[in-house]
């Protein structure tokens, strides 16, 4: 699906939202790194192009990716995967919605989110979940405008690889 947008010189550009391919994974990795820098975690990214290809396009894909492109260049991505809620049943998790910083404010993030919600609807999920960093007010406003509830009284909990190894060492 193509959408017209305007650049800073007021020229019309078109962007397209589509399913990602293996060939897009280098550009998707660059967006992931850009997001990590934006979120002040520049050294946190461990995935590689190869791992994205294996995990996203293997026999049992761990995720699905949508990309936004302008002039055949990937400028945004949304990465989702299936989850299960003991209260609701099948749900979809939006891991990241990323738009190149120079392309923000043109409706690309909104169009990517629309594609994620349409995908969830086709899958007949009961809910779509994602996290947003507390100081990303632009994203929070977009999500709330779209009808999402930002649950400010919940905390995200995770064990990183080192935490998992330490945990296992303490129960063996």
């Amino acid at each position: 699906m193509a959408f017209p947008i305007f650049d800073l010189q007021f020229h019309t550009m078109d962007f397209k939202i589509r399913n990602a391919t293996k060939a897009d994974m280098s550009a998707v990795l660059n967006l992931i790194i850009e997001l990590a820098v934006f979120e002040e975690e520049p050294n946190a990214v461990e995935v590689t192009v190869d791992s994205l290809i294996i995990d996203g396009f293997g026999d049992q894909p761990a995720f699905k990716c949508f990309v936004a492109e302008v002039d055949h260049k990937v400028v945004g991505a949304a990465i989702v995967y299936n989850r299960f809620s003991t209260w609701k049943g099948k749900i979809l998790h939006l891991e990241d919605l990323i738009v190149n910083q120079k392309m923000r404010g043109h409706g690309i993030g909104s169009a990517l989110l629309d594609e994620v919600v349409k995908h969830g609807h086709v899958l007949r999920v009961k809910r779509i979940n994602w996290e947003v960093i507390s100081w990303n007010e632009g994203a929070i406003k977009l999500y709330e405008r779209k009808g999402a509830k930002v649950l400010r009284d919940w905390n995200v909990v995770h064990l990183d690889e080192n935490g998992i190894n330490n945990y296992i060492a303490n129960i063996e």
Side-chain angles (χ1 to χ4, degrees):
M1 181 172 288
F3 303 86
I5 60 173
F6 296 92
D7 67 13
L8 296 176
Q9 292 83 28
F10 302 102
H11 296 105
T12 301
M13 292 186 285
D14 288 328
F15 69 88
K16 182 168 86 172
I17 306 297
R18 61 174 174 78
N19 290 325
T21 66
K22 291 178 185 180
D24 296 319
M25 290 303 103
S26 179
V28 169
L29 179 57
N30 288 336
L31 287 166
I32 291 168
I33 292 167
E34 182 178 336
L35 177 64
V37 170
F38 175 76
E39 292 185 351
E40 301 175 3
E41 293 279 347
N43 300 316
V45 178
E46 297 179 14
V47 296
T48 64
V49 171
D50 288 340
S51 68
L52 289 170
I53 291 170
I54 291 166
D55 293 338
F57 300 91
D59 291 338
Q60 295 182 341
F63 67 88
K64 179 171 183 63
C65 182
F66 301 100
V67 294
E69 64 176 25
V70 172
D71 295 328
H72 307 288
K73 182 177 186 236
V74 173
V75 298
I79 299 160
V80 299
Y81 57 89
N82 296 320
R83 286 178 50 188
F84 184 82
S85 165
T86 56
W87 289 7
K88 299 293 182 187
K90 291 188 333 182
I91 63 174
L92 188 67
H93 184 82
L94 171 58
E95 179 63 21
D96 280 317
L97 193 157
I98 314 161
V99 176
N100 176 273
Q101 189 166 4
K102 293 176 185 173
M103 300 304 295
R104 292 179 191 157
H106 296 291
I108 295 171
S110 181
L112 281 165
L113 184 58
D114 292 351
E115 198 65 28
V116 167
V117 174
K118 288 189 288 186
H119 177 65
H121 183 72
V122 167
L123 295 177
R124 302 177 60 103
V125 300
K126 299 289 186 174
R127 185 174 67 213
I128 301 171
N129 285 60
W130 65 97
E131 288 87 31
V132 60
I133 202 160
S134 63
W135 48 262
N136 191 346
E137 286 300 321
I140 291 169
K141 287 177 185 174
L142 167 67
Y143 301 148
E144 289 177 333
R145 252 192 340 267
K146 293 282 197 171
K149 288 191 282 185
V150 178
L151 305 176
R152 299 178 192 271
D153 55 341
W154 282 80
N155 293 306
V156 176
V157 179
H158 74 248
L159 281 171
D160 62 13
E161 187 175 15
N162 190 43
I164 294 167
N165 290 335
N166 288 337
Y167 192 106
I168 293 298
N170 288 319
I171 61 173
E172 290 181 338

